[in-house]
Amino acid sequence: MSQTVLVTGSSGKIGRAVVAELQRRGHEVRGFDRVASPAFPSTLIGNLGDRVALEHAMAGVRCLVHLAATPDDADFMTELLPNNVVGLYHILEAARVAGVRRIVLASSGQVNWWQQLGGDLPVFEHQPVSPRGWYAATKMFLEAAGRGYSEQHGISVIATRLGWCPRPGQEEEIRALEWAHDVYLSPNDAGRFFACCVEAPDTVKFLIVNGTSKPARQTRLDMTVARTVLGYEPAEQWPQGM
Ligand SMILES: NC(=O)c1ccc[n+]([C@@H]2O[C@H](COP(=O)([O-])OP(=O)(O)OC[C@H]3O[C@@H](n4cnc5c(N)ncnc54)[C@H](O)[C@@H]3O)[C@@H](O)[C@H]2O)c1
């Protein structure tokens, strides 16, 4: 069934892939970002802190895919707090008021960072978290807020713990880190993964789910939930799609 989907962060690395896959599947996609994207000229330009702009973007939307954020560790007070904490508050409230039925949130594999590097593998979604730093802590806040919206407001919420989809400038870093090839997330797989979240059955009330491509050597983030609940099957493996 075709849905009206709002994708925040639609001009970013993952956002562009998600928009392309959702459009390919026939969904009506609306983009929201603070910067324009030549690939998606109709993107609504605005900031997560601008509630009026968010309410305008949210009108008539059934599913929100919330990707806009500071995507890694950065200064807490000037970057993470306004974008990942206050911005999350505004987007969730705007979605609730607009009657959005499903919210897909971008969390991160950095919430269980230390287990991935040193613990028993693979890491499952139900295990206690071990955040890498303040960025990961904002993603734990996001997961917890999403859980609350599901319980309190009856909105279906899916929090996605993503592997690594390298942004421009990160190519050499990921190439040099063998373990990272196990959590690589290609743009094509990211598009498919988020489309599966959008199209997941209405019976999904709240879900935390890992998302990667096929591991190169060893499974670090378990993918059983993605496969069984979302029907997501990774198609690519490091370095495909780089
Ligand atoms: N790429 C990865 O490996 C990875 C891994 C785990 C989680 N994530 C998460 O996935 C999401 C997308 O990451 P990405 O790699 O595509 O990052 P990106 O930086 O390429 O894209 C993020 C987009 O969000 C926009 N944005 C940021 N703050 C905004 C604000 N206040 N108002 C409006 N727009 C704003 C930016 O302009 C950018 O286009 C993020 O939430 C990130 O934390 C990414």
Side-chain angles (χ1 to χ4, degrees), residues 21-49:
E21 179 63 15
L22 290 174
Q23 287 180 325
R24 197 186 68 76
R25 294 183 184 214
H27 296 291
E28 189 190 315
V29 186
R30 206 174 286 169
F32 182 92
D33 203 299
R34 62 185 175 187
V35 300
S37 165
F40 196 27
S42 65
T43 303
L44 299 166
I45 304 302
N47 196 293
L48 289 174

Side-chain angles (χ1 to χ4, degrees), residues 81-95:
L81 184 62
N83 294 331
N84 297 17
V85 178
V86 180
L88 177 75
Y89 165 75
H90 286 305
I91 197 90
L92 289 180
E93 276 297 280

Side-chain angles (χ1 to χ4, degrees), residues 45-61:
I45 304 302
N47 196 293
L48 289 174
D50 182 347
R51 189 67 161 269
V52 174
L54 288 180
E55 281 167 13
H56 171 67
M58 210 72 77
V61 166

Side-chain angles (χ1 to χ4, degrees), residues 8-16 32-36 44-50 54 66-72 79 82-84 87 105-110 135 138-139 142 160-168 170 183 185 194:
T8 70
S10 52
S11 303
K13 180 71 186 185
I14 294 177
R16 290 194 304 272
F32 182 92
D33 203 299
R34 62 185 175 187
V35 300
L44 299 166
I45 304 302
N47 196 293
L48 289 174
D50 182 347
L54 288 180
H66 179 49
L67 303 171
T70 296
D72 210 335
E79 291 284 339
N83 294 331
N84 297 17
L105 299 170
S107 182
S108 168
Q110 288 194 29
Y135 163 74
T138 69
K139 295 300 188 182
L142 167 142
T160 59
R161 288 186 182 163
L162 307 174
W164 191 354
C165 182
R167 287 178 293 281
Q170 292 187 316
V183 296
L185 175 64
F194 276 98

